[in-house]
Structure formats: structure tokens, C-alpha cells
Amino acid sequence: VNDNEAGQGSDPVAVSERMAAGGDAIAQLDDGRVLFVEGALPGEVVSVEITERHASWARARAVSVARPSPDRIQPPCPRHHEGCGGCPWQHVEADAQVGLKQEIVDAALRRAGHRGDVERLPARRIPAFGYRTTMRVAAASDGRLGLRRRHEHSVVPAAGCMVAHPRVEELIGRSRLPGASGAILRVGLSGGERLVVALGHVAAGWSVPEDVRVVGAGERGWVHESVGGLRWRVSGRSFFQSGPAGADALVDVVREAAADALGPGATLVDAFAGVGVLGGVLAASTGCRLVAIESHPEAVADAAVNLAPLDAQVVQDDVARWPPRLADAVVADPSRRGLGRRVAANLAGTGAGRLVLVGCDPAAFARDAVLLEAEGYRLRAVALVDLFPQTTHIEAVGRFDRVAR
Ligand SMILES: C[S@@+](CC[C@H](N)C(=O)[O-])C[C@H]1O[C@@H](n2cnc3c(N)ncnc32)[C@H](O)[C@@H]1O
């Protein structure tokens, strides 16, 4: 790519090589700098507009495609064409999205310095559209709900959003929250409830469909969902996966990775437990004892209700400060930051023979894999779970065995 700074003549042409973790294609400028190209796919020749320049890298946007990838499709959602930034991979065919996400995880492990052989398990998929039962949306000045425009703060009203479950999509289209900065929308497909957690100050004149409960600051409300054959209470501000289909897919992969290390009399630690889904399903299916650690008060309250029928202890604590106790297996599902050195050491302090790491950021997942290996674990297998089709969000599950004391 010839970076024509003055912007004279035709747009520079980029030949993209592979995908970067953020979902842009990687190409190279003539001077050796890395170029991240939004909207391009590996193997494509595209004309680009350079949008950012730095000493060792630059960023560009594909403006036209001279040689398209066979994986390129026409984005199906009208909101995408109106500039909605919610689904940056709508131009990628659904199977190809999964392959690209797997390659990004492999590349992240290599870059973090991971050297061992790792089995790559088959990826798990959920329906490509209509899967989101929880969505954080923004509110426009007139109170209509939507998603941020690509690269901008303004809001694209998202009535008709194709990744939202139809009951969430209807909620987006029919709700007005003037004055609010946004909202968390949550539907319990199992319990039938619909919830709006309003963010910021809501002015007079707000409206939602009749059945919907609006939860303001200091208030609490919840929905019920079914995952892994069990019923879960999920409060408005508690973490929940993209929807029950995603949660079920993740539960299946985690259960396959951990169940053989558990049984009656064994102890499982579920670190970053949320409302208790991953550990709870494992405890119910293996008969093991469960210690669930979570810091968010609403999620802790949900987990206490959800796990009450099991042999389970819910601990409200920061996993980094939690004094480790002996366990047979650990499931850890941290936020995007990953585990980090201190939590990795803490989890290793349980002496667990099996550790299952769920990572929602490939670079953090790869860094954590290297940290856990330094703590005596070996990464045996990785599975991708595509919880957010059409987006660049990546969820990876790693199975680790303890190989040294
Ligand atoms: C990615 S979610 C996983 C939740 C759960 N495993 C699930 O599948 O629904 C991460 C959870 O970790 C909690 N969390 C974040 N940092 C924490 C910390 N330092 N200590 C304990 N919990 C934490 C968040 O509140 C959130 O519920």
C-alpha cells in the first residue's frame, strides 16, 4: 500500500493478509508499517481511505473491493446500511466468521509465546440472528433506543435489529426513554418477563410496552431463564451471556472440559461465577460440592437463590483477594481483562488438577494461558464458542491439566 498522505490521485490499494483481534484485516504499507483495514477480508484487494497514522501502524477503511473474498456477502440488516455499529462482521459469511475467530485465537496464543501442542475442538455455534435476549442500548435525544453509529457517538434507532430476539427487538422499537443515556434490555424466555434497566436520568414522557418492568437507580428486578436444564434467576444488572442459546452452548463445552475431573465428594471452584450458571450445571450433573466466587452484589444475590438446592457456597469476594482453598477443578470466566498474574496464582493455589478458562478477549486469554503454564498447568485443548455471531466478539474455552506441583 502506498500511503498517499496528501490524498491526491486514486485511493491506495491494500492486499489484506489475515484478521486482527479487533476484527480488521491486516495489510502492510510500502514503508513496512502494519495497516489495519476495516471492512476487508483476508485475500481481498480493496481500495482504502487511510484514517489514522502512527509511527509503526496505520488504520484504514475499505471504500471499494476490487477482488472480493468468496466469504464476502451483502450485509443483510437495513440498520447496518444506516451506519449502525453493532454488527461489524455482517459482510462475512456465517461459517467463515467462525473460522476467522478460530484463527485469531490461534494467532493470539502464538503471539503470547505459547509453544505447546493444543488440540483444537470443534467450534460451537448458535443461530446467526435473533439470539440476543440481553442488550445494552443507547438512547437518542428523542428517547428512541438504538446502537451507536460506527465511529460516532450518535445513535442509530435499532427497530428491526436482526441479532435481537424478536421480543427484545419489539422492546427496542416500542420503548421511549427521553433523558436516559441508555438501557439494559433483558427478556427471560423461560419466565416470559421483560425488563428495562434505565441508565442515567429518565425524563417525563417515557413509555414501554405494558408488560415491561422498568428498573431505575436503586431498584431491582429480574427475569428467569432456563440453561443446562435448570432455572436461573437473572437480575437486571447481573451478567448473563448473549442469550440462553449461547449460555447452553458454553455450558456444554465447559461441562465436557471439566466433568470427568468431578464427582460426589469432589470440590469445584467457579471463579467469576455471575448468577452461578457454569458451576451450578456442573455441580448438578456431577454431584460435586461448589464454591462460587463473585463480586457483583446483584449477581451474588441471584447465585444464592439459584444455587440453594445444591451443595454450594456463594462467596462475595474479589477473586484476586480470595484466599484459595483446596479444590479438584476450577472454572474461571473473567471479564475482558482476563485473570492476570495474581488471580492465576490464586487459582493455582487451589491445587486443582483441572482448570477450565473461559476467555472473551483472545489476547487476555492467551496471556492467561502462559501465566497458568508458569503456575504448573498445561493447555490441552481449546474450543471456540461463537456467542455473538455478526460481531467480532470472541469466546474461547481452554482445558488445562496440572502437570507440576
Ligand atoms: C464474564 S462474566 C461470567 C459470569 C458467569 N460465569 C456466566 O457464565 O454467566 C464475569 C463475572 O465476573 C464478575 N467479576 C468481575 N471481576 C471480578 C472479580 N475481581 N472478582 C469476582 N468477580 C468478578 C462479574 O461481575 C461477572 O459476573
Side-chain angles (χ1 to χ4, degrees):
V1 185
N2 178 10
D3 177 9
N4 174 5
E5 290 227 19
Q8 295 149 353
S10 55
D11 289 322
V13 174
V15 183
S16 47
E17 297 154 10
R18 58 190 168 82
M19 291 312 252
D24 294 342
I26 296 180
Q28 211 171 25
L29 290 167
D30 286 349
D31 60 12
R33 280 181 296 167
V34 171
L35 180 67
F36 296 98
V37 186
E38 180 191 331
L41 290 173
E44 287 190 332
V45 178
V46 295
S47 296
V48 298
E49 176 195 352
I50 300 200
T51 53
E52 259 183 76
R53 294 175 171 87
H54 301 270
S56 62
W57 61 278
R59 200 178 286 289
R61 197 173 294 159
V63 288
S64 66
V65 184
R67 194 179 72 201
S69 157
D71 297 329
R72 178 175 285 276
I73 57 168
Q74 183 66 5
C77 179
R79 303 295 83 79
H80 183 87
H81 296 282
E82 290 163 12
C84 175
C87 293
W89 270 13
Q90 279 211 8
H91 63 294
V92 191
E93 193 275 324
D95 287 344
Q97 291 181 25
V98 175
L100 292 174
K101 289 180 183 186
Q102 277 177 320
E103 284 169 22
I104 289 171
V105 173
D106 291 347
L109 282 167
R110 282 196 302 275
R111 218 173 15 258
H114 188 270
R115 295 283 170 261
D117 279 342
V118 181
E119 185 186 358
R120 193 204 258 184
L121 300 170
R124 296 301 165 97
R125 312 265 301 267
I126 63 171
F129 292 102
Y131 60 86
R132 294 206 65 164
T133 60
T134 288
M135 264 179 98
R136 193 181 176 113
V137 292
S141 51
D142 62 2
R144 283 188 297 167
L145 303 181
L147 295 170
R148 300 270 175 222
R149 196 172 290 281
R150 282 189 288 281
H151 313 298
E152 287 179 30
H153 192 69
S154 63
V155 177
V156 177
C161 169
M162 289 181 67
V163 291
H165 184 275
R167 297 201 66 223
V168 174
E169 192 269 310
E170 194 238 10
L171 193 48
I172 296 173
R174 289 185 51 203
S175 300
R176 298 288 179 271
L177 296 176
S181 57
I184 301 167
L185 310 180
R186 177 157 279 173
V187 169
L189 297 187
S190 165
E193 314 95 329
R194 296 200 290 182
L195 206 65
V196 170
V197 181
L199 306 172
H201 174 75
V202 185
W206 60 269
S207 65
V208 295
E210 238 172 42
D211 64 294
V212 175
R213 163 118 197 257
V214 178
V215 178
E219 294 175 333
R220 192 176 271 196
W222 49 73
V223 303
H224 289 89
E225 204 45 276
S226 166
V227 180
L230 301 175
R231 185 174 160 87
W232 302 93
R233 185 183 102 174
V234 188
S235 290
R237 298 176 192 84
S238 297
F239 177 88
F240 192 67
Q241 304 293 349
S242 58
D248 264 324
L250 188 60
V251 156
D252 280 349
V253 174
V254 170
R255 190 164 33 193
E256 280 163 25
D260 65 312
L262 294 165
T267 298
L268 167 68
V269 169
D270 182 357
F272 308 92
V275 303
V277 175
L278 299 179
V281 172
L282 268 167
S285 60
T286 65
C288 73
R289 195 177 312 125
L290 171 64
V291 180
I293 311 157
E294 166 62 45
S295 58
H296 192 284
E298 282 196 23
V300 168
D302 290 338
V305 171
N306 293 331
L307 302 176
L310 301 170
D311 182 1
Q313 182 194 1
V314 179
V315 180
Q316 180 166 7
D317 206 346
D318 176 341
V319 181
R321 284 200 291 263
W322 171 71
R325 51 167 290 180
L326 291 180
D328 299 277
V330 170
V331 171
D333 181 8
S335 47
R336 290 185 67 81
R337 252 182 320 162
L339 303 177
R341 195 172 299 278
R342 188 153 170 197
V343 173
N346 241 7
L347 298 181
T350 62
R354 176 70 50 77
L355 194 148
V356 178
L357 176 65
V358 182
C360 56
D361 178 272
F365 176 82
R367 278 195 306 274
D368 289 341
V370 172
L371 288 172
L372 288 169
E373 297 214 335
E375 294 287 346
Y377 286 88
R378 178 153 309 150
L379 178 58
R380 301 285 194 199
V382 176
L384 182 103
V385 188
D386 196 11
L387 293 179
F388 290 89
Q390 317 306 331
T391 79
T392 56
H393 182 108
I394 291 176
E395 198 86 9
V397 178
R399 173 164 58 81
F400 296 77
D401 285 327
R402 193 172 187 86
V403 292
R405 300 222 65 78

